Structures are given as C-alpha cells and as structure tokens.
Amino acid sequence: MTRKKAHIISHSHWDREWFLPLESLRFRLVTLMDEVEDLLDKEAGFNHFHMDGQMIMLEDYLAVKPAKREKMKQLVADGKLRIGPWYMLQDAFLTSGEANIRNLQYGLEMAEEFGQAEKIGYFPDTFGLYGQVPQLMRQAGFDTVVFGRGVNPTGFNNQVFDSAFASKYSEMFWESPDGSKVLGILLANWYSNGNEIPTDKEAAKIFWDKKLADVERFASTDEWLFMNGCDHQPVQTDLAEALEVARELYPEVDFIHSHFEKYQDAVKAGLEPEKLQTVHGELTSQQSDGWSTLANTASSRIYLKQANAKIERLLERLAEPISVMATEAGVSYPHEYLAFAWKLLMENQIHDSITGCSLDEVHREMEARFEKVEQTTMAIIQSAARKITEQIATNDAGIPITVFHAGGVEATRTVELELETDAIHFSEMHFELIPNELAKLPEQSFRMETSTGEEIPVVVESLGIHFNYDLPERKFRDSYFARKYKLTFTVEHLPAVGYQTIYAHPVAVSDDEKELTGDLQLENQYLKVEIAPNGTYSILDKEKAVEVAGLGAYEDVGDIGNEYMFKETGDNLRINTYNSKPEIRVLREDKLGKTIEMKHEIEIPVSASATFAEEKRRLVWHPDRTSHRSDNRTTFKITTELTLNKHDKQLTVRVKLDNQVDDHRLRVLLPTGKQTETHQAGSVFEVVTRANKQVEEWTNPANDNRKQGFVTSGNIVVASLDLPEYEVSEQGDRLELTLLRAVSEIGDWGDFPAYEAECHREITAEFHVFLTDESSVNVPAQVNALLAPTFAIQHPSSSKEKILADTKDFAKWKVADGLVFSAFKLAKDNQPIIRFYQTASEPKLLNTVNLWRKSTILEETAGDAKNQFTVKPNEIITLKGV
C-alpha cells in the first residue's frame, strides 16, 4: 500500500489592494517578506515559500528595500523562494488577450532575472477562467494549471459526474477549444485549507482529522495538497514544529514542506488518467446555483472598465504597431517604455482592482494610474507618429495629415483632428500682439483630398485662436499662437495595418452646409433606422434584407447586491421607457452623416429602502436580502445619440447619464429578431457559444455573462469595448446590455462600505449595433476592426530627409475569413511579431509576402521559414519574422 503524502505549501495570497489600500498592505508585505527571509535562512524544516504566482509582490517589497535584491536572487537560486510566472494575478475576463500574454511575458522575464520561474499556471482566485487557458499555457511550456474557481467538485456521492463543468476529483484534464490539454488541479478546499496548523497535539488532531478527510474526498492520488496561508496571511513561523507534531500523530502520512513543481511531479507520477474527467472550454461556475459566479464584477464601477479598455486598445492597436512602423524612420523600438506602460496598466488589472470590488480609496488611486498610463501611451504614440511624418514625402499642395490604423483589415473611418494654421511664434512678435494680428485674418474653411486628388468629405468647425508650443529636440520650448479648427472627415481604404496621408487645402468659407431637416430617421446605402415616438428604433439592413424593431428601450431595476453580485430588490420593481415620450430632435446633419438625439426622463426611486442598511449591517448574504426600493422618487435623465454616417454599416449609440441615484442598475433592451437556444460572445482569443437556459441547479433569477468586444444573438450584433456585462433571455429573443450598476459595499465576509461604487458621476456609454445572418462568419474580425482606434496627426515642419511613402500598408499578409488580427509588435530581438486567432469551424490559410516562422506566445520560434500557414479552428497563431 502506497503512503499518503501531504504537501504543505507555505504562501500568502497577496491581493495587492482590496479591503485595505495599497500602501497599508505594502506595510504588511514588507513585514511578511522579512520574516520569510529569516525562516528560509535559519529555520530547519522551513524549506520553501510560494510568492503567489506574481512578480509584482516581489517588486513591491524591493521598492521599499532595494538592498534586498541580491538576497532575494539567492533565495530564488536556491529553490527556496518560488516566484512567477505572472507579473500580477489578473482578472481573466476583464483583460484582453494581449494583456494576458504580456502579463505572462513580463512576469517570466522578471522571474528569469531573479533566477527561475515556477513552471505552473497559477490562477488561485481568478473570477472564472476563459477557455483558451490550456492553449496559452501549452504555448508557454506549462502542462499543469492550478485554479480555485470555475469547476464544481462533485464528490463521491454526487450523481453529476459527466458534466463538462464539474469533476469527481480535484485533478482533471482541461481542454481548450483547439484541443490543447493540460492537467488541471482544482483548489477544491480553497487556497487556505492548510492554514494555521496547530502545534498543540490535541488541537492538531482535531485539525488534521478534518483536513485530511476533506482532501481525501476529492483527491485521485495519494499526493495531497495543503495550502498554508490565506489572503495577506502572515507566514506561520512555527510551521516546522507543527509538521513535526503532525508526523508524530499520523505516522502513516508523509508530511512534506513542499512547492508546486514538486507537488505536480508527484501527482503526475501517481495519476491514473483513465479515472479523470476532461472539462472543456471556459469555466465560469456554470454548473452551480449561480449566486457566486462573481460575473457582476463586470458592471461594478463601469468607469474603470471604460478606462481600461481604452488604454488596452491604445497600446495594442496604436502604440505597438506605430512603434514598429517608426523603425523604418530609423527610430528604435521602445521595448522598455512599452513594458513600463503595460506594467503600469497591469497594476489596475489585478483581479480585485479592475473588477471594481475594493474600497473607494483603492479605486481612486486606480483612476490616477489610468491617467498616468494614458499619458505614457499617448507619448509613445505621438513621438513615433511624429518621427514618421517628419520623413514622409508629401506634395506641396495643402497641409499634410497622416492617419494611422491597425485594425487588421482595410477600413473606412470617420476621423477627428484639431488642425492649426497661421502660427505666429513668440520669437516673431511680442506675444501680447499676436492674437489681435491673427484676428485680422479672413475666416477660412478647408477642402480635403487624398494624395491622388480624390475629394474627402469634411466638416469644419473653427475653434478660434489658441496658445500652443513645440518642444524642439535641442532647444527650449517654442511658444506660439495659431488659429485652430476641428476637422471631422471620412477616410476610405485605410490600410489594414499602416497609414495614409491626406491633404487639407485652405479655402474660403462657404454657405453650403446642409441644414437640419428635422426628419427623424437615419439612412445610408447600407442601413435604414426609424425611430418610434417612445424612443425605440428599428434597423433595416438593406444588403442582408434583415430587419429588427423595438430596439433601445431602457430598464431600471433596484440592486441590493454588492460589488461582486447583482441582487434585485424584493419588490421586483422595474421601470422602463416603453411608454415614455422622449424629446427627439436632429442634433447634427451634414455631408458626413446624421445624429439624432433623444432625451428620456423617468421617475425612479432614489435608493433602496431604509431596511437595506440593516441587512448590510447584519451581513445578510445577498441572495437572502429582501429590501424594497424607496418610496421617494427622483427624475432620472437619459440622453441618447443615434449616429449613422454615410459609410457606416452599424448604428452607433451613445448614452449619456448623470447618475445621482443609489442602489440600481440601468440596462438597454435589444430584441434580437428571433428565438435561439444559444448565443455567441467574444472572449479571450475565442468566440464562445453559451446556452441561453441555465442548468437545473441554477437558482439565481439572473443569468449575467461577460463579453469581450461583442455579443450576438438572433439577428443582432452588439459591439462595445467597455460594456462587458450582458444577459440573453432564455428564448434568445432579447439581449440586455448593462450601462450602469450602482451599489454601496464590497460584500465579501464583512461590512466594508464602498459608497463611491454608487457611481455618482457623469457616464457616457457607447456601443454599436449591426445586423447579421447565419452566413456572417466574419463578425469577430469586423468587430475587432471596428473597435480599433485611429490616430491622426498634422505633419510638423521638419528639415529631415523625406524617405518614406505617404501611404503604406505593413500588413504583408492575406488572411482567410475567420482569422482575427491581434498583434503587430517587435520581439526582444527586434524581429516582427504578428498574431491572429481562428474563429471559423474549419482550417484556414494565412498567406504572407515575407518569410515567417511559427512562434509561441513567448516569441520562441520552431520549424522552417515559410509564407503559408494552415491555422486550425480556435488556434492562436503567432508568427515571427526572419
């Protein structure tokens, strides 16, 4: 008979900020690490400490004690301090695919600088897991994943053994949609199941009798895992003594102070693969009662999601691609600065941060970080774009403007730019005289055209005379006044990944601007949008001959949940706009398109009733709360702008709110045009199909889900970067998109007020709606391109040699339908990297002009150089230039 082995892993799960702010927890972290160092050096029997799988924990410690760096390296080299592989422990669904890869790349790079990384995929507290985790881990060279959520352990006496989302054992196989498979180890008894082990024999007997039985219930081997630590847990300084007591009490069990690589190797050696179940795809606690999925963190503090999505796209679709383009202008690729920007963003992507489920102080600091990382990212973009435009050869007619785009497919975009003319520098005239001198100039407008002379429609708005300055490379600030204009124009045939230069020609102001017609409908060659008196609208897709009506009503419900989970008030009082009569008017109508504005006013309760405060004080679990909405009401205003420009194949909807109301949720209701049993949503490197109807044991009335980029059900597609929460009805005939959720507490095992989560602020939410049919295989790629930002820059004056073409497409590849563009960057060795993921159900070809080698997500190549690649369904393919 084999002996049982109890692997005790010392750790502290380090939420960098949560129910305490960052610096309060950093103080505790420094104490923890000093004690860990002392134990690893001096305590016989205390052999290892697991640094929670995240390098930022070590980085935060060394920020206070930089002199300890070499000591930490020595502990890592000796195998005592177990570090990596992540930079930080992210939320999986609220961070992009590229952010997840950068997290792993930068984490491993930092771990290697210290000596070695723990080669295990570690997701102890991620709020659900996307289905492509096994593929990403395999590409990173890992074959084992440890995780704490998403799968239900069903135990020996439970009948549900064949579920795709439940497992008889804590060990299982987990398979990605592409077929990649890893060994999955579920922390079935959580990551604190070996916490605070007693040294007193009597107490230890009680402790271990229960703990050993709990683990044996789910273990498929004789290798048992005990996690000695918990959230911000101080290290157990008498652990060696506690394990000696355990060995004396249970001589039939080997108690080992272990680490994850040792444990996983032992588990693999003892596995009987035929006993294990295989779980497939995303793991979101689908096989549960639905009350603890934490899905509603997708709507907590929606302003954080908006800031995060914006900066992710700036990094992925502008900063990295434009930096690659700038290398042709002789500019070095800013590896270090991009890493700095990504890491700064990642500080906000930690699972208790981006989810919006922490204290107000935490999220206030996040907003400052978002501002910093946006400044950093824009500096990278502007510098690279300027260096490129300084060397673009242009014609002499007009003011050159270059528009950058990296959506992966050729695009038509409506672009805004602030253009300056007639600058007078302080070196030319006393600054007090310049504004009056500029005011003497006649009014002007602009005509725009491509480099080949084709006219570009433009709308011009004069912004008056403004102060500005240049920052020359070798001189002090050069100040000036200039006339400024806002130009809004449409650019066709933007390169898939590249830039196009166009020209603005000053002309006299004309009176040919189109007057507002007052016609309350929108129409172009692709779509027709009609608006009903109650503010709902219908969309007709002329090409597909598909029409959906009744879109765009709003529904407000009470929310007595918390930052983690939505719970509707006990009165089920829902207030919608179906019977309202909003003020509707044409806001804008010009040569580019048209915008219609609607203003709804609804009377809603100001908050939950007074009993809600008592429920929170008594820590009533959110499913058991029954408070109603308040009898006091206030006017809640919703401003909607519907925009359809001439080249748009989608309706753009912008909703403006000034929320001063507590304890509620606002959604927009979107009929889908037909009934379905399933729907699809964008996720991390995949399009996931989800059932509309939940499993029998699901008791939560809500069935909220998370998306990345888009969700499609029936005949509609709803695309947005920064509105990640939605719900589809059981029949699939209605989609509800969350615009705002206002709550007042963290809601995790204590009374932790978080009043700023009520979101008393102005919020603007934007999404796009277009129609589809069953043949629309390219929806993921279309949405991906639609949501890619553009960047336009007026050329600076420059004496540099003009060596660059005025228009260039760097996308020297051709992809089949179903392949979605994801990245264009440089590897550490300065070779180009491109990445796609495959969403079609059959293999597709990726053809390239130049030779490339297939690479992993860590940019390690294998195989021969070639220019044609077959990409299997759901594969994430990375290519590296040769």
Side-chain angles (χ1 to χ4, degrees):
M1 182 176 178
T2 58
R3 290 176 61 81
K4 310 292 186 184
K5 297 183 182 64
H7 294 259
I8 292 84
I9 295 181
S10 292
H11 78 112
S12 186
H13 176 59
W14 207 260
D15 300 301
R16 190 174 189 246
E17 49 191 12
W18 178 31
F19 66 90
L20 286 172
L22 168 62
E23 296 309 329
S24 298
L25 288 173
R26 194 201 302 260
F27 188 87
R28 293 175 61 86
L29 172 65
V30 171
T31 300
L32 167 74
M33 292 306 300
D34 285 346
E35 289 184 342
V36 166
E37 176 193 346
D38 192 59
L39 286 169
L40 291 174
D41 274 346
K42 301 175 182 177
E43 183 73 14
F46 192 96
N47 305 313
H48 312 285
F49 188 82
H50 176 66
M51 290 286 287
D52 202 31
Q54 53 176 331
M55 294 305 302
I56 199 170
M57 189 175 173
L58 188 55
E59 195 171 68
D60 284 346
Y61 171 65
L62 293 175
V64 176
K65 296 199 170 184
K68 291 288 187 179
R69 178 174 291 271
E70 293 307 313
K71 179 61 180 180
M72 295 298 107
K73 284 185 177 181
Q74 184 60 53
L75 291 174
V76 172
D78 293 342
K80 295 181 177 182
L81 198 62
R82 314 297 297 189
I83 61 172
W86 301 103
Y87 179 67
M88 52 80 195
L89 293 181
Q90 77 280 34
D91 181 84
F93 285 99
L94 297 177
T95 52
S96 71
E98 291 301 322
N100 276 263
I101 287 178
R102 300 303 182 283
N103 186 11
L104 190 59
Q105 286 178 317
Y106 293 132
L108 287 171
E109 285 177 13
M110 187 177 174
E112 287 162 5
E113 290 173 5
F114 278 83
Q116 58 185 332
E118 187 106 64
K119 299 291 187 180
I120 192 164
Y122 193 60
F123 301 85
D125 195 21
T126 314
F127 298 176
L129 291 160
Y130 51 87
Q132 292 283 34
V133 165
Q135 183 178 178
L136 291 176
M137 292 298 99
R138 278 292 187 179
Q139 288 202 29
F142 302 174
D143 60 8
T144 304
V145 171
V146 174
F147 59 99
R149 300 183 191 272
V151 170
N152 290 346
T154 59
F156 290 105
N157 297 318
N158 194 305
Q159 297 301 309
V160 189
F161 294 152
D162 58 352
S163 167
F165 311 113
S167 173
K168 181 176 181 178
Y169 300 112
S170 53
E171 299 82 31
M172 68 203 74
F173 294 115
W174 182 13
E175 188 173 340
S176 278
D178 75 310
S180 299
K181 187 181 287 189
V182 294
L183 172 64
I185 297 174
L186 174 68
L187 299 171
N189 298 291
W190 207 227
Y191 53 69
S192 56
N193 69 322
N195 193 28
E196 299 177 357
I197 302 172
T199 56
D200 175 79
K201 285 187 178 181
E202 185 176 342
K205 184 71 168 62
I206 296 171
F207 177 91
W208 283 113
D209 279 351
K210 182 179 188 310
K211 297 294 184 179
L212 292 170
D214 285 346
V215 171
E216 185 173 24
R217 180 184 175 206
F218 298 118
S220 69
T221 74
D222 293 327
E223 309 293 335
W224 297 349
L225 177 64
F226 296 92
M227 300 292 288
N228 178 234
C230 196
D231 298 352
H232 316 107
Q233 180 79 15
V235 63
Q236 183 169 348
T237 56
D238 60 357
L239 179 64
E241 179 185 354
L243 295 185
E244 284 300 323
V245 171
R247 293 178 185 117
E248 182 180 344
L249 290 172
Y250 302 88
E252 73 281 7
V253 178
D254 289 336
F255 289 87
I256 306 164
H257 195 218
S258 191
H259 57 78
F260 270 114
E261 287 189 5
K262 180 186 292 187
Y263 167 69
Q264 75 170 349
D265 290 344
V267 169
K268 289 176 189 175
L271 275 182
E272 298 177 52
E274 66 279 1
K275 292 171 57 176
L276 300 191
Q277 184 173 330
T278 298
V279 295
H280 299 271
E282 66 176 6
L283 306 178
T284 59
S285 300
Q286 300 99 315
Q287 197 82 28
S288 73
D289 64 8
W291 283 111
S292 298
T293 65
L294 312 187
N296 299 112
T297 55
S299 55
S300 292
R301 302 180 189 257
I302 199 71
Y303 58 91
L304 299 177
K305 282 67 173 176
Q306 293 179 315
N308 179 69
K310 176 184 179 181
I311 296 167
E312 281 182 336
R313 277 305 199 190
L314 288 176
L315 281 166
E316 297 166 15
R317 294 291 180 267
L318 291 177
E320 288 179 338
I322 296 178
S323 293
V324 178
M325 300 175 203
T327 61
E328 296 210 348
V331 181
S332 297
Y333 189 81
H335 291 284
E336 295 85 359
Y337 226 108
L338 283 166
F340 174 78
W342 272 113
K343 288 179 181 179
L344 188 55
L345 177 60
M346 287 179 201
E347 290 187 47
N348 279 356
Q349 294 186 330
I350 298 171
H351 57 282
D352 287 313
S353 300
I354 188 57
T355 48
C357 58
S358 298
L359 288 182
D360 292 337
E361 296 94 319
V362 167
H363 299 302
R364 275 185 236 129
E365 186 168 358
M366 284 180 66
E367 290 193 84
R369 279 194 213 115
F370 276 133
E371 289 183 5
K372 288 179 65 175
V373 71
E374 184 172 355
Q375 294 163 8
T376 301
T377 305
M378 288 308 303
I380 295 170
I381 293 168
Q382 290 164 350
S383 175
R386 182 183 177 98
K387 295 293 176 58
I388 292 168
T389 53
E390 284 177 342
Q391 299 184 46
I392 288 178
T394 61
N395 61 47
D396 295 329
I399 302 168
I401 298 165
T402 295
V403 181
F404 293 87
H405 172 256
V409 296
E410 185 181 281
T412 297
R413 288 288 178 270
T414 299
V415 180
E416 290 185 357
L417 171 75
E418 290 189 355
L419 184 80
E420 292 181 337
T421 66
D422 307 304
I424 300 178
H425 293 256
F426 288 10
S427 59
E428 301 174 78
M429 183 182 295
H430 193 283
F431 68 88
E432 291 180 343
L433 303 177
I434 297 174
N436 289 336
E437 189 68 20
L438 289 173
K440 298 175 185 177
L441 297 176
E443 293 184 22
Q444 67 179 15
S445 187
F446 296 89
R447 175 177 54 83
M448 298 191 72
E449 59 184 35
T450 68
S451 58
T452 57
E454 299 172 46
E455 187 165 353
I456 297 172
V458 60
V459 174
V460 180
E461 177 187 354
S462 175
L463 301 178
I465 298 166
H466 287 263
F467 166 81
N468 205 347
Y469 58 87
D470 286 325
L471 293 175
E473 290 184 1
R474 297 289 180 268
K475 297 180 179 179
F476 182 64
R477 183 180 66 231
D478 185 6
S479 300
Y480 62 88
F481 280 100
R483 294 203 288 179
K484 184 181 290 188
Y485 302 86
K486 178 182 176 183
L487 273 54
T488 307
F489 51 92
T490 299
V491 186
E492 297 184 65
H493 310 298
L494 277 172
V497 179
Y499 60 81
Q500 179 179 345
T501 300
I502 58 178
Y503 297 86
H505 300 270
V507 296
V509 174
S510 65
D511 296 324
D512 63 352
E513 288 299 316
K514 191 172 183 180
E515 293 184 2
L516 301 183
T517 63
D519 180 16
L520 299 180
Q521 70 174 23
L522 305 165
E523 187 168 10
N524 63 14
Q525 60 182 316
Y526 305 111
L527 300 180
K528 182 176 182 180
V529 180
E530 295 185 307
I531 301 172
N534 67 355
T536 60
Y537 41 91
S538 65
I539 302 177
L540 169 66
D541 188 306
K542 299 176 181 179
E543 292 182 315
K544 299 183 177 73
V546 176
E547 184 173 15
V548 176
L551 299 159
Y554 297 99
E555 182 177 75
D556 190 86
V557 306
D559 189 344
I560 50 174
N562 51 52
E563 290 182 321
Y564 291 101
M565 291 296 292
F566 165 77
K567 172 62 165 69
E568 188 169 357
T569 47
D571 52 7
N572 299 119
L573 176 61
R574 298 187 171 209
I575 300 165
N576 61 53
T577 60
Y578 282 117
N579 296 319
S580 66
K581 291 186 178 180
E583 176 189 332
I584 306 175
R585 69 184 180 112
V586 177
L587 183 65
R588 159 205 154 233
E589 187 172 9
D590 52 44
K591 63 185 71 175
L592 299 182
K594 186 174 179 180
T595 298
I596 293 177
E597 179 188 74
M598 300 183 290
K599 291 188 175 181
H600 286 89
E601 292 188 358
I602 55 176
E603 299 298 313
I604 65 173
V606 297
S607 65
S609 64
T611 60
F612 183 39
E614 180 65 9
E615 286 184 314
K616 288 186 290 184
R617 189 187 67 80
R618 292 175 46 237
L619 307 183
V620 176
W621 194 40
H622 61 278
D624 300 327
R625 294 174 177 176
T626 59
S627 291
H628 290 198
R629 305 187 77 173
S630 170
D631 293 331
N632 297 326
R633 296 201 174 199
T634 189
T635 301
F636 188 73
K637 298 179 180 180
I638 307 169
T639 300
T640 307
E641 295 175 3
L642 304 180
T643 297
L644 185 67
N645 289 322
K646 288 192 173 180
H647 296 276
D648 289 348
K649 295 185 177 183
Q650 73 285 334
L651 176 68
T652 297
V653 184
R654 180 173 293 172
V655 185
K656 297 179 180 179
L657 311 167
D658 183 3
N659 181 55
Q660 302 300 323
V661 177
D662 292 346
D663 313 324
H664 71 126
R665 182 189 70 188
L666 183 72
R667 280 180 162 177
V668 59
L669 310 180
L670 302 162
T672 68
K674 64 180 180 181
Q675 294 190 355
T676 59
E677 293 184 355
T678 62
H679 68 276
Q680 292 187 313
S683 188
V684 177
F685 293 122
E686 70 169 322
V687 176
V688 61
T689 299
R690 293 172 177 151
N692 297 336
K693 187 176 181 179
Q694 283 293 0
V695 294
E696 184 177 346
E697 54 263 48
W698 192 277
T699 60
N700 188 343
N703 180 18
D704 302 326
N705 274 300
R706 290 159 286 191
K707 68 170 180 63
Q708 288 202 358
F710 76 97
V711 56
T712 178
S713 183
N715 291 123
I716 72 167
V717 178
V718 179
S720 66
L721 275 177
D722 50 15
L723 299 172
E725 181 184 285
Y726 73 92
E727 184 173 9
V728 173
S729 63
E730 282 195 5
Q731 295 75 29
D733 56 356
R734 188 167 86 169
L735 190 156
E736 302 179 7
L737 185 67
T738 304
L739 305 178
L740 168 73
R741 197 165 72 87
V743 294
S744 58
E745 65 167 355
I746 294 179
D748 186 86
W749 302 108
D751 185 7
F752 296 107
Y755 189 66
E756 290 172 22
E758 296 284 13
C759 298
H760 289 181
R761 59 174 66 207
E762 293 181 359
I763 290 176
T764 299
E766 183 174 283
F767 59 94
H768 310 275
V769 182
F770 59 95
L771 305 188
T772 185
D773 54 32
E774 294 180 358
S775 64
S776 299
V777 67
N778 253 346
V779 165
Q782 290 170 355
V783 170
N784 184 59
L786 174 65
L787 298 178
T790 57
F791 179 73
I793 181 173
Q794 178 181 351
H795 285 213
S797 58
S798 170
S799 59
K800 291 188 177 181
E801 184 181 0
K802 310 301 182 183
I803 60 174
L804 301 179
D806 67 355
T807 297
K808 182 164 184 178
D809 193 348
F810 289 76
K812 303 301 183 184
W813 55 80
K814 183 177 181 181
V815 298
D817 291 347
L819 281 168
V820 182
F821 171 75
S822 186
F824 181 49
K825 61 185 289 288
L826 291 191
K828 288 179 69 176
D829 60 5
N830 288 318
Q831 291 301 312
I833 292 289
I834 55 175
R835 183 160 32 251
F836 301 84
Y837 60 98
Q838 219 271 64
T839 62
S841 57
E842 64 280 336
K844 294 290 184 176
L845 287 180
L846 193 166
N847 294 291
T848 65
V849 174
N850 302 322
L851 292 176
W852 300 76
R853 282 193 174 90
K854 198 170 181 180
S855 169
T856 68
I857 60 169
L858 300 182
E859 300 167 4
E860 299 163 342
T861 58
D864 297 330
K866 53 184 180 177
N867 56 17
Q868 185 178 85
F869 299 85
T870 300
V871 190
K872 65 183 181 180
N874 301 298
E875 181 181 357
I876 304 163
I877 183 169
T878 305
L879 302 181
K880 189 174 184 179
V882 297

